[in-house]
Amino acid sequence: MSIAISQVSRLSLVVTGLGVLVTDPAFSQVEEIVITARKREENLQEVPLSVTAIAAEQIERLGIRELQDITRYTPGVNLDSGFGLNDQRLVIRGLSPSRGRPNSAILVDGIDLTTESVSTAGGSILFNQRLLDMQQVEVVKGPQSAMYGRAAFTGAISYVTRDPGDELEGQVGVDLGEYGRRYVRMAVGGPITETFGLRVSGLGWNEDGYYNEGFTGADLGGGNGAGISLVGKWEPGDRFAARLRVAYSDDEYDQQATLYNPINTFVSPPDSANGIGSVTPDTVVGLFSGIPDDVNGRTPYLTPNPGRGTDPADLPAPEDREAYEGGFAEVINTSLKLDWDIGAGTITSYTGYANADTGQAFDGDFDVRPNADLTADIARGGTAVNFVTDTRLLSQEIRYSSNLDGPVQFTVGALYWDENVNQNETGVSVLAIPPWPGTTPENYFNTIAPQAVLIPNIITRDTNSRSVYGMLDWDFAAQWRLSIEARYAREEMEVSGTGCDRSSITGFFLCDFSTPDIVFPLGGGVFGHLARVTTVDSKTDYYVAPKASIEWSATEDLMTYLSLSRGIKPGGITTVGSGAFLDQQPDGTLDEAKFDAETLTALEIGIKSSWLERRLIVNGAVFYQEYDDKQVPVQAQVGGFLATNIENAGQAEVLGLELETIWLMTDNLRLQVGYSYLDGEFTDLVYTTNSANSIARAGNCAPDPVENVCEIDLSNNTMEDVPKHSVVATLGYYPPLGSAGFSGLLEADVQYDDERFIDEFNDRKIDSYSLINLRAGLQADNWDLLLYVNNVFDDDTIRSWSAATGLVATSEKNLIDPNLSIFPAEGFSIAPPPRHWGMRANFRF
């Protein structure tokens, strides 16, 4: 829900959760604002949805630059970063995408730009773009499959960009701060003729990163880039409008500041698992469990780039090697919207095309073994990730919205959406098997990786979705409204990629035992790769996603609603990790990599109300969500190799509460508190695996010796990524200063997230944390200037964590005996930003 503040001077607001942050002086009451969450203009207080809306002025004032910043002001919404820049997982109302496709839709001007990564989990770099010339950002919570389609399983993030405007106007904004933070944005727009307007905007940015890599001293977590957008709008009359937007951005990103969490716990599989997979009575599983340590002065160590060359004498010495390049994203995004008012309704066309050229080159194992003087990684094995991905999105939507006299209004539409992804992977994994000291020389990875012939691993994915939808609103009685909506969709996914040739057998490395990028020595300085074959397969899903809601407006200031909806996240073929992608049997199909759709049934009861002559807003929602056929990552050994597939294995329930109160205490003092409560539990989570790690962590096994698997039961465990309590609160004071039209600004906001489990095994979790930010400044009608301090108390609690399989360094450092599983269940933390300060200034003309 979203509301605005009526005030004497310029309006500036941000709506969070079910409310709004207001920052300008002399406000007298809360007024409704307009959102487009249901693809039409509506007053937010009258919409039976839970929505967060952040306006343009507040985006600049709070320094909101990307999706992570948006989630910081939205209780019950989290963004987890994982393996590389592509691994972005948005969690809304406690529903995490785990290793499957994204749960939430990303839309720009009504066009779906939701993409799924290849080789890594989560959404791609497109999922978390830098914001360029935004008018408003809207976060819609709860299943929205009926209106938004394939990706809006748990909700949607909708970006609305600025129009040219009716008058000539311009803006200049700067943000300068510690750690090389420099943001400069400029925009100018207005009418060119009586019927045509134009707006151009640009953004340049740089961040040095908050941490330095231990071996090379390279910046981590920073980047730089630039973007430009051009919007043209033509309105030849009252009944027709055409809007064309073209945006281009070119950004580069450093490696993330990652801190490895090695083995700290040893467990054994239950006796019933003996003989399953590689499990023996002596098997010991090592894993990281518990809560990862805070940053607290820790230094991230990542394997430097070993370089390339056939002669080791030509390669730089270990202490002279540089960090990997990191990542880049070059994106062109084009949208065309046509509106034609035909009297009885409006026909709207959305046409979208986006092309993204992205790439990443980084240390892919994070599990280093520094030498004595901390100048080089001398581990015997490792992984270098290097892939370039080309993503093309094309969509066309046609919608008709009625404008009838009478109690009934309706909307019908059709959507064509197509994503084509082509990834060229030239990374390499060097495995010293077995990895214990004495079997291979130190620095084995740095010796072999530079000389390995990098054979491209080409993976493609084409996803085609076609759907029709409709929505009916019926004011069937005074103060009562019934809304019914539904979408019918057909989605087809075709995937092609390389597996290893069964006839390719060289020494210890059989076809079933490896990924295509593994390098092994043949002797005499010659290194071999596995021969490859290409496999192509497809999967088609059909589904119906309905939703119904009923509203009762008791008074102008009190509305309640009840909604029942069903979200569908289609199935597909996993491309997460080369090991998971292989034709693992191999039998010429990818049946073992296929998974079916998830379903989500959500019941929500909400209230929107205002009191004390609209100086107090109290909004809330209680919801129950039933989650079926959850797409979970399942590990299994195929021919001795540990692979990760996606399996439909979970049923869960989530009970939640959202509450927002906004109190205009005086004309210049405002308090807002947003609160979210989530209680998520797996009611049935049973699946099969022969991974010694998974069996030992589960602590139970119902063996199937014929299939060589255990059935493990994790039912009644808490769902991952579910903080039980989340709070966002803001206190602001905006006193007038003299008679010159100036006013002051003093703001403090706090964010609190409760602890949450990292995965479904419930043996490791992220600790609770609190962040406090302060801002102080001056503002007038056409300018504002403020100083800010973020993370005032320098809280360095880890907020994002990802699972990883230790390769060799852990075993080397701990001198663990050969009974230990050689791929321990470890992981790495993403170091959060420390305390930092800066200055923001905006000028409008």
Side-chain angles (χ1 to χ4, degrees), residues 267-269 278 280-286 436 692 816-822:
V267 292
S268 297
S278 61
T280 70
D282 297 324
T283 296
V284 178
V285 168
W436 296 278
I816 297 167
D817 68 64
N819 289 319
L820 177 74
S821 171
I822 63 173

Side-chain angles (χ1 to χ4, degrees), residues 713-728:
D713 189 348
L714 302 174
S715 301
N716 300 319
N717 280 9
T718 298
M719 295 179 65
E720 76 277 16
D721 284 324
V722 180
K724 181 161 286 190
H725 304 280
S726 297
V727 178
V728 173

Side-chain angles (χ1 to χ4, degrees), residues 326 385 540 659 692 759:
V385 171
T540 302
L659 181 65
D759 54 33

Side-chain angles (χ1 to χ4, degrees), residues 99-113:
R99 295 288 292 274
R101 57 197 291 171
N103 274 358
S104 308
I106 298 294
L107 301 101
V108 177
D109 293 326
I111 295 174
D112 186 0
L113 294 181

Side-chain angles (χ1 to χ4, degrees), residues 60 115 137 155 205 232 249 257 317 322 364 372 412 446 480 482 504 533 582 592 609 644 701 747 773 778:
E60 290 306 317
T115 61
V137 178
W205 67 278
S249 61
E322 298 180 352
V412 293
N446 287 315
W480 290 87
L482 175 67
S504 172
V533 293
L582 291 178
E592 63 271 28
S609 65
T644 300
C701 167
E747 287 182 336
N773 304 319
L778 299 172

Side-chain angles (χ1 to χ4, degrees), residues 214-215 301 318-319 368-379 442 813:
F215 292 129
Y301 285 96
E319 61 271 16
V368 303
R369 183 188 172 199
N371 58 4
D373 58 1
L374 303 180
T375 59
D377 178 15
I378 57 174
E442 292 181 345
K813 288 183 287 187

Side-chain angles (χ1 to χ4, degrees), residues 129 212 253 590 658 671 747 768:
Q129 299 181 66
N212 295 109
Y253 301 91
L590 295 174
E658 293 169 350
L671 173 67
E747 287 182 336
S768 61

